PDB file of all heavy atoms in Angstrom:
ATOM      1  N   VAL A  42     103.642 133.243 119.275  1.00 84.00           N
ATOM      2  CA  VAL A  42     103.694 131.865 118.885  1.00 84.00           C
ATOM      3  C   VAL A  42     102.376 131.377 118.364  1.00 84.00           C
ATOM      4  O   VAL A  42     102.220 130.705 117.334  1.00 84.00           O
ATOM      5  CB  VAL A  42     104.140 130.970 120.100  1.00 84.00           C
ATOM      6  CG1 VAL A  42     103.991 129.529 119.902  1.00 84.00           C
ATOM      7  CG2 VAL A  42     105.529 131.439 120.587  1.00 84.00           C
ATOM      8  N   GLN A  43     101.326 131.746 119.017  1.00 86.00           N
ATOM      9  CA  GLN A  43      99.929 131.318 118.574  1.00 86.00           C
ATOM     10  C   GLN A  43      99.664 131.971 117.302  1.00 86.00           C
ATOM     11  O   GLN A  43      98.808 131.405 116.481  1.00 86.00           O
ATOM     12  CB  GLN A  43      98.890 131.577 119.642  1.00 86.00           C
ATOM     13  CG  GLN A  43      98.967 130.730 120.879  1.00 86.00           C
ATOM     14  CD  GLN A  43      98.880 129.258 120.520  1.00 86.00           C
ATOM     15  OE1 GLN A  43      97.933 128.887 119.814  1.00 86.00           O
ATOM     16  NE2 GLN A  43      99.861 128.513 120.948  1.00 86.00           N
ATOM     17  N   GLU A  44     100.065 133.208 117.050  1.00 86.00           N
ATOM     18  CA  GLU A  44      99.871 133.868 115.626  1.00 86.00           C
ATOM     19  C   GLU A  44     100.463 132.995 114.580  1.00 86.00           C
ATOM     20  O   GLU A  44      99.949 132.829 113.478  1.00 86.00           O
ATOM     21  CB  GLU A  44     100.527 135.192 115.799  1.00 86.00           C
ATOM     22  CG  GLU A  44     100.288 136.052 114.486  1.00 86.00           C
ATOM     23  CD  GLU A  44     100.882 137.414 114.570  1.00 86.00           C
ATOM     24  OE1 GLU A  44     100.708 138.048 115.642  1.00 86.00           O
ATOM     25  OE2 GLU A  44     101.481 137.847 113.522  1.00 86.00           O
ATOM     26  N   GLN A  45     101.744 132.490 114.725  1.00 84.00           N
ATOM     27  CA  GLN A  45     102.398 131.705 113.815  1.00 84.00           C
ATOM     28  C   GLN A  45     101.705 130.418 113.705  1.00 84.00           C
ATOM     29  O   GLN A  45     101.653 129.776 112.593  1.00 84.00           O
ATOM     30  CB  GLN A  45     103.859 131.558 114.193  1.00 84.00           C
ATOM     31  CG  GLN A  45     104.656 132.733 114.255  1.00 84.00           C
ATOM     32  CD  GLN A  45     104.785 133.522 112.911  1.00 84.00           C
ATOM     33  OE1 GLN A  45     104.790 132.953 111.820  1.00 84.00           O
ATOM     34  NE2 GLN A  45     104.712 134.738 112.911  1.00 84.00           N
ATOM     35  N   VAL A  46     101.263 129.788 114.815  1.00 82.00           N
ATOM     36  CA  VAL A  46     100.478 128.579 114.640  1.00 82.00           C
ATOM     37  C   VAL A  46      99.282 128.785 113.881  1.00 82.00           C
ATOM     38  O   VAL A  46      98.908 127.858 113.042  1.00 82.00           O
ATOM     39  CB  VAL A  46     100.162 128.023 116.103  1.00 82.00           C
ATOM     40  CG1 VAL A  46      99.179 126.908 116.092  1.00 82.00           C
ATOM     41  CG2 VAL A  46     101.451 127.591 116.829  1.00 82.00           C
ATOM     42  N   GLY A  47      98.613 129.874 114.022  1.00 85.00           N
ATOM     43  CA  GLY A  47      97.403 130.085 113.254  1.00 85.00           C
ATOM     44  C   GLY A  47      97.685 130.177 111.769  1.00 85.00           C
ATOM     45  O   GLY A  47      96.965 129.761 110.923  1.00 85.00           O
ATOM     46  N   LYS A  48      98.808 130.873 111.504  1.00 82.00           N
ATOM     47  CA  LYS A  48      99.251 131.025 110.077  1.00 82.00           C
ATOM     48  C   LYS A  48      99.467 129.628 109.436  1.00 82.00           C
ATOM     49  O   LYS A  48      99.064 129.413 108.331  1.00 82.00           O
ATOM     50  CB  LYS A  48     100.456 131.828 109.905  1.00 82.00           C
ATOM     51  CG  LYS A  48     100.284 133.298 110.133  1.00 82.00           C
ATOM     52  CD  LYS A  48     101.639 134.063 109.881  1.00 82.00           C
ATOM     53  CE  LYS A  48     101.496 135.504 110.303  1.00 82.00           C
ATOM     54  NZ  LYS A  48     102.769 136.256 110.095  1.00 82.00           N
ATOM     55  N   VAL A  49     100.124 128.804 110.192  1.00 79.00           N
ATOM     56  CA  VAL A  49     100.418 127.435 109.719  1.00 79.00           C
ATOM     57  C   VAL A  49      99.173 126.689 109.471  1.00 79.00           C
ATOM     58  O   VAL A  49      98.992 125.946 108.502  1.00 79.00           O
ATOM     59  CB  VAL A  49     101.429 126.773 110.665  1.00 79.00           C
ATOM     60  CG1 VAL A  49     101.536 125.289 110.359  1.00 79.00           C
ATOM     61  CG2 VAL A  49     102.802 127.410 110.575  1.00 79.00           C
ATOM     62  N   LYS A  50      98.280 126.756 110.401  1.00 81.00           N
ATOM     63  CA  LYS A  50      96.968 126.036 110.337  1.00 81.00           C
ATOM     64  C   LYS A  50      96.199 126.602 109.118  1.00 81.00           C
ATOM     65  O   LYS A  50      95.645 125.707 108.313  1.00 81.00           O
ATOM     66  CB  LYS A  50      96.135 126.161 111.586  1.00 81.00           C
ATOM     67  CG  LYS A  50      96.640 125.384 112.774  1.00 81.00           C
ATOM     68  CD  LYS A  50      95.739 125.645 113.991  1.00 81.00           C
ATOM     69  CE  LYS A  50      96.085 124.824 115.124  1.00 81.00           C
ATOM     70  NZ  LYS A  50      95.304 125.158 116.247  1.00 81.00           N
ATOM     71  N   ASP A  51      96.079 127.804 108.878  1.00 79.00           N
ATOM     72  CA  ASP A  51      95.424 128.457 107.764  1.00 79.00           C
ATOM     73  C   ASP A  51      95.987 127.882 106.463  1.00 79.00           C
ATOM     74  O   ASP A  51      95.336 127.531 105.456  1.00 79.00           O
ATOM     75  CB  ASP A  51      95.352 129.893 107.815  1.00 79.00           C
ATOM     76  CG  ASP A  51      94.485 130.408 108.929  1.00 79.00           C
ATOM     77  OD1 ASP A  51      93.634 129.693 109.382  1.00 79.00           O
ATOM     78  OD2 ASP A  51      94.717 131.620 109.212  1.00 79.00           O
ATOM     79  N   PHE A  52      97.319 127.944 106.405  1.00 76.00           N
ATOM     80  CA  PHE A  52      98.101 127.518 105.145  1.00 76.00           C
ATOM     81  C   PHE A  52      97.833 126.008 104.923  1.00 76.00           C
ATOM     82  O   PHE A  52      97.500 125.627 103.812  1.00 76.00           O
ATOM     83  CB  PHE A  52      99.503 127.706 105.297  1.00 76.00           C
ATOM     84  CG  PHE A  52     100.325 127.066 104.159  1.00 76.00           C
ATOM     85  CD1 PHE A  52     100.302 127.617 102.947  1.00 76.00           C
ATOM     86  CD2 PHE A  52     101.020 125.925 104.368  1.00 76.00           C
ATOM     87  CE1 PHE A  52     100.886 127.034 101.802  1.00 76.00           C
ATOM     88  CE2 PHE A  52     101.587 125.275 103.349  1.00 76.00           C
ATOM     89  CZ  PHE A  52     101.552 125.862 102.081  1.00 76.00           C
ATOM     90  N   ALA A  53      97.858 125.212 105.936  1.00 73.00           N
ATOM     91  CA  ALA A  53      97.667 123.802 105.781  1.00 73.00           C
ATOM     92  C   ALA A  53      96.203 123.541 105.259  1.00 73.00           C
ATOM     93  O   ALA A  53      96.029 122.706 104.355  1.00 73.00           O
ATOM     94  CB  ALA A  53      97.901 123.106 107.113  1.00 73.00           C
ATOM     95  N   LYS A  54      95.258 124.195 105.767  1.00 73.00           N
ATOM     96  CA  LYS A  54      93.813 123.996 105.364  1.00 73.00           C
ATOM     97  C   LYS A  54      93.761 124.374 103.843  1.00 73.00           C
ATOM     98  O   LYS A  54      93.093 123.584 103.102  1.00 73.00           O
ATOM     99  CB  LYS A  54      92.840 124.912 106.147  1.00 73.00           C
ATOM    100  CG  LYS A  54      92.618 124.296 107.540  1.00 73.00           C
ATOM    101  CD  LYS A  54      91.662 125.357 108.296  1.00 73.00           C
ATOM    102  CE  LYS A  54      91.631 124.949 109.688  1.00 73.00           C
ATOM    103  NZ  LYS A  54      90.833 125.943 110.623  1.00 73.00           N
ATOM    104  N   SER A  55      94.302 125.504 103.417  1.00 71.00           N
ATOM    105  CA  SER A  55      94.192 125.864 102.085  1.00 71.00           C
ATOM    106  C   SER A  55      94.921 125.018 101.114  1.00 71.00           C
ATOM    107  O   SER A  55      94.472 124.604 100.020  1.00 71.00           O
ATOM    108  CB  SER A  55      94.670 127.357 101.833  1.00 71.00           C
ATOM    109  OG  SER A  55      95.978 127.434 102.147  1.00 71.00           O
ATOM    110  N   SER A  56      96.096 124.562 101.535  1.00 68.00           N
ATOM    111  CA  SER A  56      96.886 123.680 100.587  1.00 68.00           C
ATOM    112  C   SER A  56      96.349 122.270 100.559  1.00 68.00           C
ATOM    113  O   SER A  56      96.316 121.630  99.604  1.00 68.00           O
ATOM    114  CB  SER A  56      98.327 123.528 101.260  1.00 68.00           C
ATOM    115  OG  SER A  56      98.974 124.736 101.122  1.00 68.00           O
ATOM    116  N   ALA A  57      95.747 121.845 101.637  1.00 65.00           N
ATOM    117  CA  ALA A  57      95.213 120.462 101.808  1.00 65.00           C
ATOM    118  C   ALA A  57      93.912 120.372 100.862  1.00 65.00           C
ATOM    119  O   ALA A  57      93.622 119.311 100.343  1.00 65.00           O
ATOM    120  CB  ALA A  57      94.806 120.160 103.157  1.00 65.00           C
ATOM    121  N   MET A  58      93.276 121.387 100.654  1.00 67.00           N
ATOM    122  CA  MET A  58      92.066 121.441  99.807  1.00 67.00           C
ATOM    123  C   MET A  58      92.393 121.428  98.275  1.00 67.00           C
ATOM    124  O   MET A  58      91.644 120.980  97.488  1.00 67.00           O
ATOM    125  CB  MET A  58      91.174 122.692 100.089  1.00 67.00           C
ATOM    126  CG  MET A  58      90.708 122.588 101.495  1.00 67.00           C
ATOM    127  SD  MET A  58      89.916 121.041 102.003  1.00 67.00           S
ATOM    128  CE  MET A  58      88.456 121.040 100.977  1.00 67.00           C
ATOM    129  N   ALA A  59      93.621 121.908  97.821  1.00 65.00           N
ATOM    130  CA  ALA A  59      93.802 121.950  96.428  1.00 65.00           C
ATOM    131  C   ALA A  59      94.121 120.633  95.858  1.00 65.00           C
ATOM    132  O   ALA A  59      93.541 120.355  94.708  1.00 65.00           O
ATOM    133  CB  ALA A  59      95.122 122.927  96.255  1.00 65.00           C
ATOM    134  N   LEU A  60      94.851 119.784  96.483  1.00 67.00           N
ATOM    135  CA  LEU A  60      95.197 118.496  95.840  1.00 67.00           C
ATOM    136  C   LEU A  60      93.977 117.521  95.775  1.00 67.00           C
ATOM    137  O   LEU A  60      93.790 117.035  94.713  1.00 67.00           O
ATOM    138  CB  LEU A  60      96.350 117.896  96.664  1.00 67.00           C
ATOM    139  CG  LEU A  60      97.012 116.610  95.922  1.00 67.00           C
ATOM    140  CD1 LEU A  60      97.530 117.086  94.646  1.00 67.00           C
ATOM    141  CD2 LEU A  60      98.235 116.226  96.785  1.00 67.00           C
ATOM    142  N   PRO A  61      93.176 117.345  96.883  1.00 71.00           N
ATOM    143  CA  PRO A  61      92.014 116.510  96.612  1.00 71.00           C
ATOM    144  C   PRO A  61      91.048 116.891  95.573  1.00 71.00           C
ATOM    145  O   PRO A  61      90.494 116.107  94.874  1.00 71.00           O
ATOM    146  CB  PRO A  61      91.314 116.582  97.989  1.00 71.00           C
ATOM    147  CG  PRO A  61      92.431 116.885  98.901  1.00 71.00           C
ATOM    148  CD  PRO A  61      93.339 117.866  98.167  1.00 71.00           C
ATOM    149  N   SER A  62      90.901 118.232  95.324  1.00 73.00           N
ATOM    150  CA  SER A  62      89.997 118.621  94.288  1.00 73.00           C
ATOM    151  C   SER A  62      90.573 118.219  92.925  1.00 73.00           C
ATOM    152  O   SER A  62      89.847 117.820  92.066  1.00 73.00           O
ATOM    153  CB  SER A  62      89.728 120.126  94.288  1.00 73.00           C
ATOM    154  OG  SER A  62      90.937 120.833  94.032  1.00 73.00           O
ATOM    155  N   THR A  63      91.874 118.352  92.690  1.00 73.00           N
ATOM    156  CA  THR A  63      92.539 117.871  91.521  1.00 73.00           C
ATOM    157  C   THR A  63      92.352 116.453  91.319  1.00 73.00           C
ATOM    158  O   THR A  63      91.983 115.957  90.282  1.00 73.00           O
ATOM    159  CB  THR A  63      94.011 118.245  91.542  1.00 73.00           C
ATOM    160  OG1 THR A  63      94.115 119.654  91.718  1.00 73.00           O
ATOM    161  CG2 THR A  63      94.595 117.878  90.200  1.00 73.00           C
ATOM    162  N   LEU A  64      92.489 115.650  92.454  1.00 74.00           N
ATOM    163  CA  LEU A  64      92.259 114.165  92.339  1.00 74.00           C
ATOM    164  C   LEU A  64      90.850 113.873  91.895  1.00 74.00           C
ATOM    165  O   LEU A  64      90.611 112.974  91.097  1.00 74.00           O
ATOM    166  CB  LEU A  64      92.632 113.532  93.662  1.00 74.00           C
ATOM    167  CG  LEU A  64      94.113 113.534  94.000  1.00 74.00           C
ATOM    168  CD1 LEU A  64      94.330 112.985  95.400  1.00 74.00           C
ATOM    169  CD2 LEU A  64      94.944 112.661  92.974  1.00 74.00           C
ATOM    170  N   TRP A  65      89.925 114.496  92.494  1.00 75.00           N
ATOM    171  CA  TRP A  65      88.443 114.223  92.203  1.00 75.00           C
ATOM    172  C   TRP A  65      88.163 114.604  90.761  1.00 75.00           C
ATOM    173  O   TRP A  65      87.597 113.806  90.098  1.00 75.00           O
ATOM    174  CB  TRP A  65      87.570 115.094  93.167  1.00 75.00           C
ATOM    175  CG  TRP A  65      86.148 114.908  92.823  1.00 75.00           C
ATOM    176  CD1 TRP A  65      85.422 115.722  92.185  1.00 75.00           C
ATOM    177  CD2 TRP A  65      85.328 113.809  93.147  1.00 75.00           C
ATOM    178  NE1 TRP A  65      84.096 115.263  92.016  1.00 75.00           N
ATOM    179  CE2 TRP A  65      84.119 114.055  92.616  1.00 75.00           C
ATOM    180  CE3 TRP A  65      85.589 112.577  93.742  1.00 75.00           C
ATOM    181  CZ2 TRP A  65      83.008 113.115  92.658  1.00 75.00           C
ATOM    182  CZ3 TRP A  65      84.550 111.692  93.861  1.00 75.00           C
ATOM    183  CH2 TRP A  65      83.273 111.896  93.372  1.00 75.00           C
ATOM    184  N   ASP A  66      88.667 115.770  90.274  1.00 78.00           N
ATOM    185  CA  ASP A  66      88.474 116.147  88.919  1.00 78.00           C
ATOM    186  C   ASP A  66      89.028 115.171  88.035  1.00 78.00           C
ATOM    187  O   ASP A  66      88.375 114.729  86.989  1.00 78.00           O
ATOM    188  CB  ASP A  66      89.013 117.473  88.658  1.00 78.00           C
ATOM    189  CG  ASP A  66      88.274 118.611  89.274  1.00 78.00           C
ATOM    190  OD1 ASP A  66      87.155 118.407  89.853  1.00 78.00           O
ATOM    191  OD2 ASP A  66      88.853 119.711  89.457  1.00 78.00           O
ATOM    192  N   SER A  67      90.204 114.626  88.286  1.00 78.00           N
ATOM    193  CA  SER A  67      90.863 113.602  87.427  1.00 78.00           C
ATOM    194  C   SER A  67      90.044 112.301  87.510  1.00 78.00           C
ATOM    195  O   SER A  67      89.953 111.662  86.342  1.00 78.00           O
ATOM    196  CB  SER A  67      92.282 113.297  87.992  1.00 78.00           C
ATOM    197  OG  SER A  67      93.080 114.496  87.943  1.00 78.00           O
ATOM    198  N   ALA A  68      89.574 111.868  88.530  1.00 78.00           N
ATOM    199  CA  ALA A  68      88.869 110.691  88.698  1.00 78.00           C
ATOM    200  C   ALA A  68      87.443 110.761  87.825  1.00 78.00           C
ATOM    201  O   ALA A  68      87.071 109.896  87.052  1.00 78.00           O
ATOM    202  CB  ALA A  68      88.442 110.270  90.072  1.00 78.00           C
ATOM    203  N   VAL A  69      86.876 111.930  87.840  1.00 79.00           N
ATOM    204  CA  VAL A  69      85.652 112.123  87.118  1.00 79.00           C
ATOM    205  C   VAL A  69      85.926 112.099  85.665  1.00 79.00           C
ATOM    206  O   VAL A  69      85.203 111.490  84.791  1.00 79.00           O
ATOM    207  CB  VAL A  69      84.987 113.523  87.439  1.00 79.00           C
ATOM    208  CG1 VAL A  69      83.926 113.855  86.560  1.00 79.00           C
ATOM    209  CG2 VAL A  69      84.487 113.443  88.837  1.00 79.00           C
ATOM    210  N   LYS A  70      87.057 112.702  85.122  1.00 78.00           N
ATOM    211  CA  LYS A  70      87.358 112.720  83.694  1.00 78.00           C
ATOM    212  C   LYS A  70      87.723 111.304  83.203  1.00 78.00           C
ATOM    213  O   LYS A  70      87.289 110.944  82.097  1.00 78.00           O
ATOM    214  CB  LYS A  70      88.575 113.646  83.561  1.00 78.00           C
ATOM    215  CG  LYS A  70      88.175 115.055  83.645  1.00 78.00           C
ATOM    216  CD  LYS A  70      89.386 116.071  83.403  1.00 78.00           C
ATOM    217  CE  LYS A  70      89.001 117.446  83.650  1.00 78.00           C
ATOM    218  NZ  LYS A  70      90.097 118.411  83.452  1.00 78.00           N
ATOM    219  N   VAL A  71      88.486 110.547  83.949  1.00 78.00           N
ATOM    220  CA  VAL A  71      88.721 109.087  83.597  1.00 78.00           C
ATOM    221  C   VAL A  71      87.477 108.301  83.518  1.00 78.00           C
ATOM    222  O   VAL A  71      87.323 107.565  82.643  1.00 78.00           O
ATOM    223  CB  VAL A  71      89.757 108.491  84.596  1.00 78.00           C
ATOM    224  CG1 VAL A  71      89.866 106.987  84.360  1.00 78.00           C
ATOM    225  CG2 VAL A  71      91.064 109.261  84.523  1.00 78.00           C
ATOM    226  N   THR A  72      86.578 108.474  84.541  1.00 79.00           N
ATOM    227  CA  THR A  72      85.281 107.741  84.449  1.00 79.00           C
ATOM    228  C   THR A  72      84.460 108.137  83.170  1.00 79.00           C
ATOM    229  O   THR A  72      83.938 107.305  82.661  1.00 79.00           O
ATOM    230  CB  THR A  72      84.510 108.102  85.796  1.00 79.00           C
ATOM    231  OG1 THR A  72      85.294 107.696  86.860  1.00 79.00           O
ATOM    232  CG2 THR A  72      83.176 107.282  85.802  1.00 79.00           C
ATOM    233  N   LYS A  73      84.400 109.365  82.853  1.00 77.00           N
ATOM    234  CA  LYS A  73      83.655 109.738  81.751  1.00 77.00           C
ATOM    235  C   LYS A  73      84.326 109.230  80.396  1.00 77.00           C
ATOM    236  O   LYS A  73      83.575 108.781  79.567  1.00 77.00           O
ATOM    237  CB  LYS A  73      83.705 111.398  81.655  1.00 77.00           C
ATOM    238  CG  LYS A  73      82.619 112.018  82.574  1.00 77.00           C
ATOM    239  CD  LYS A  73      82.662 113.481  82.454  1.00 77.00           C
ATOM    240  CE  LYS A  73      81.699 114.144  83.382  1.00 77.00           C
ATOM    241  NZ  LYS A  73      81.685 115.633  83.222  1.00 77.00           N
TER     242      LYS A  73
END
Side-chain angles (χ1 to χ4, degrees):
V42 173
Q43 288 304 309
E44 183 180 318
Q45 296 301 324
V46 169
K48 286 180 185 179
V49 170
K50 284 181 181 178
D51 291 342
F52 171 75
K54 287 177 188 174
S55 65
S56 294
M58 296 309 293
L60 193 56
S62 65
T63 303
L64 290 171
W65 177 257
D66 293 342
S67 298
V69 169
K70 289 178 183 178
V71 171
T72 302
K73 284 182 181 179

